[in-house]
Amino acid sequence: MAAAAAASPGRVPALPEHASWVSGQARAQYSNKLELMLSLVGYAVGFGNIWRFPYLVYAHGGGAFLVPYALSLLFLGLPLFILEMGLGQMFRQSALGVWNKMDLPRLRGVGAAATLCTFFITLYYNVIMAWTIYFLGRTFGAAFSRSGLPWGDLGEQCPESLLIVRREAAQSPWIIDSRTGLFNVSHASDFWCPLSGLPRSASQVPDGFVAVFSRPSSCPGEAAVRFWQQEVLQQSSGMDELGGIHWGMFIAFTVAWLLVYLTIVNGIKTSGKVVYVTATLPYVALFAFLVRALTLDNASLGIQFLVAPDFSELARPYVWGRAATQIFYSLGVGFGTLIAFASYGERHSDYARDAVTVSLINCGIRRERAWCATQWTRSVPNRHIYPRRLRGVPSARLLGP
């Protein structure tokens, strides 16, 4: 290198494409730009897009929530995303080593803290993966045994429902639909419900009404809740009752960690190939769900419910804080992972454009998932809604997990 510099005075010799900017040590690199982009998209788009974002829209002003959300993206999330991508690409180091390259060794604790946070988040994300694998196993088990989905329905075991009926109409044989065991919609004006939630006790009966109990012939929602609580979680009464080993979940959790190991065992040589499946397959499934959701009855009402704005919510600082939190968490800034990803990318890539592209994809997918949740649930999404609604989809066993 000294000879080359002497031969060309005033010129800095070019570093090898795969060399570290400072130390000159070789660093692995993604085979192509697509692997980096898929890794970034797969990292940024996660469970929060299905579970958390639709709930935040429902709870904080509908379409009005997109105002603080978009501003948080523009002034907080995107600048930090670009900064982390730039640091990783320039210094070719992870969140721990980048501080040494910037001659700020005292700030290595920031990188260590970010790495530790990522580790703890990985622990509970793997629990969610284990739940998915458990559902997958039970779904294929039902398919091979030619039985229904294990969370399908309780049938005759459905619990009784409490209905609060106007006293004058309580003795009418038409007040309850004999086919379903549910209230007759044509007599909806004869029923009473509290302002929030559902009536759970006969003590809630107001004057002029009486409590009527009816057993529905089908209760897929209750079946999903029972399957989740009794067979998936197997919750005990408390920490003083540890219970035994849930062998199904134990196997699922082991498989989840084994998949993680196989993905990262050879670094980006393997993870860069795995993302072709893990980062694209969810979008294919989401597109299928979106098409299905838009073909349901009253789909337009669901979209209207999602986007109808309540601008009075914008006067609450809490709403702005929730929007900023969602941006930070969904883009994954501050965890050091973006620095690591970018350090394996091309040295001369346009990292600002990459950051903008990933952010827009992230926000677009979040909107699509919110639409799906709105059409399918019309309520706050939770882990019970998905298997319940899935029963009505053709070939449900293929989509069961």
Side-chain angles (χ1 to χ4, degrees), residues 284-296 299 368 372 376:
V284 177
L286 279 172
F287 179 76
F289 294 154
L290 178 63
V291 173
R292 170 64 178 173
L294 293 177
T295 59
L296 295 176
E368 177 187 343
C372 291
W376 279 27

Side-chain angles (χ1 to χ4, degrees), residues 83-215:
L83 175 63
E84 293 194 27
M85 290 285 291
L87 288 175
Q89 182 173 309
M90 180 180 297
F91 293 105
R92 320 296 287 173
Q93 293 289 324
S94 64
L96 284 172
V98 71
W99 299 104
N100 288 331
K101 300 301 180 183
M102 292 191 295
D103 293 328
L104 297 171
R106 293 184 178 181
L107 294 181
R108 284 180 298 179
V110 176
T115 304
L116 192 61
C117 289
T118 302
F119 171 74
F120 286 126
I121 291 175
T122 302
L123 292 181
Y124 84 75
Y125 259 60
N126 242 30
V127 172
I128 300 175
M129 286 180 58
W131 292 340
T132 304
I133 294 171
Y134 183 80
F135 271 85
L136 179 67
R138 294 296 300 269
T139 301
F140 282 116
F144 290 137
S145 63
R146 298 182 181 275
S147 60
L149 293 171
W151 58 83
D153 201 350
L154 296 178
E156 297 180 354
Q157 300 179 8
C158 291
E160 288 187 328
S161 298
L162 171 63
L163 305 176
I164 300 180
V165 187
R166 196 179 304 278
R167 189 182 304 275
E168 295 79 8
Q171 301 303 321
S172 172
W174 312 109
I175 202 72
I176 304 295
D177 190 328
S178 59
R179 297 172 303 170
T180 63
L182 303 175
F183 77 95
N184 193 333
V185 178
S186 60
H187 290 266
S189 60
D190 292 321
F191 291 85
W192 175 87
C193 280
L195 294 177
S196 62
L198 296 173
R200 298 296 183 185
S201 172
S203 61
Q204 294 180 261
V205 179
D207 294 338
F209 290 82
V210 295
V212 175
F213 292 90
S214 175
R215 188 181 301 277

Side-chain angles (χ1 to χ4, degrees), residues 108-390:
R108 284 180 298 179
V110 176
T115 304
L116 192 61
C117 289
T118 302
F119 171 74
F120 286 126
I121 291 175
T122 302
L123 292 181
Y124 84 75
Y125 259 60
N126 242 30
V127 172
I128 300 175
M129 286 180 58
W131 292 340
T132 304
I133 294 171
Y134 183 80
F135 271 85
L136 179 67
R138 294 296 300 269
T139 301
F140 282 116
F144 290 137
S145 63
R146 298 182 181 275
S147 60
L149 293 171
W151 58 83
D153 201 350
L154 296 178
E156 297 180 354
Q157 300 179 8
C158 291
E160 288 187 328
S161 298
L162 171 63
L163 305 176
I164 300 180
V165 187
R166 196 179 304 278
R167 189 182 304 275
E168 295 79 8
Q171 301 303 321
S172 172
W174 312 109
I175 202 72
I176 304 295
D177 190 328
S178 59
R179 297 172 303 170
T180 63
L182 303 175
F183 77 95
N184 193 333
V185 178
S186 60
H187 290 266
S189 60
D190 292 321
F191 291 85
W192 175 87
C193 280
L195 294 177
S196 62
L198 296 173
R200 298 296 183 185
S201 172
S203 61
Q204 294 180 261
V205 179
D207 294 338
F209 290 82
V210 295
V212 175
F213 292 90
S214 175
R215 188 181 301 277
S217 59
S218 177
C219 52
E222 181 67 23
V225 172
R226 287 194 181 184
F227 177 79
W228 169 253
Q229 294 180 344
Q230 299 178 9
E231 299 193 40
V232 179
L233 297 184
Q234 294 189 7
Q235 291 175 310
S236 65
S237 59
M239 291 295 292
D240 57 334
E241 183 184 349
L242 298 180
I245 298 177
H246 185 344
W247 288 106
M249 281 303 304
F250 177 81
I251 294 174
F253 198 54
T254 302
V255 171
W257 276 110
L258 181 61
L259 291 175
V260 171
Y261 171 76
L262 294 176
T263 300
I264 64 176
V265 61
N266 290 322
I268 62 172
K269 291 182 180 180
T270 51
S271 65
K273 302 300 183 292
V274 170
V275 292
Y276 283 105
V277 176
T278 58
T280 57
L281 187 59
Y283 301 107
V284 177
L286 279 172
F287 179 76
F289 294 154
L290 178 63
V291 173
R292 170 64 178 173
L294 293 177
T295 59
L296 295 176
D297 295 337
N298 299 319
S300 59
L301 295 178
I303 296 177
Q304 181 180 355
F305 176 75
L306 172 68
V307 301
D310 178 9
F311 290 104
S312 63
E313 288 288 316
L314 299 184
R316 301 172 55 202
Y318 177 75
V319 174
W320 292 79
R322 298 281 273 185
T325 301
Q326 177 62 20
I327 281 294
F328 273 76
Y329 200 79
S330 62
L331 291 182
V333 294
F335 294 101
T337 311
L338 295 174
I339 298 177
F341 280 143
S343 70
Y344 295 112
E346 296 179 4
R347 175 68 202 287
H348 303 291
S349 177
D350 188 343
Y351 58 85
R353 183 181 60 187
D354 296 342
V356 173
T357 301
V358 173
S359 299
L360 293 179
I361 293 175
N362 182 35
C363 294
I365 292 300
R366 184 177 295 109
R367 182 183 63 181
E368 177 187 343
R369 294 186 180 190
W371 282 4
C372 291
T374 304
Q375 311 309 322
W376 279 27
T377 67
R378 310 278 180 80
S379 62
V380 177
N382 55 56
R383 298 181 183 92
H384 314 139
I385 290 294
Y386 178 75
R388 176 182 174 183
R389 293 303 187 192
L390 198 60

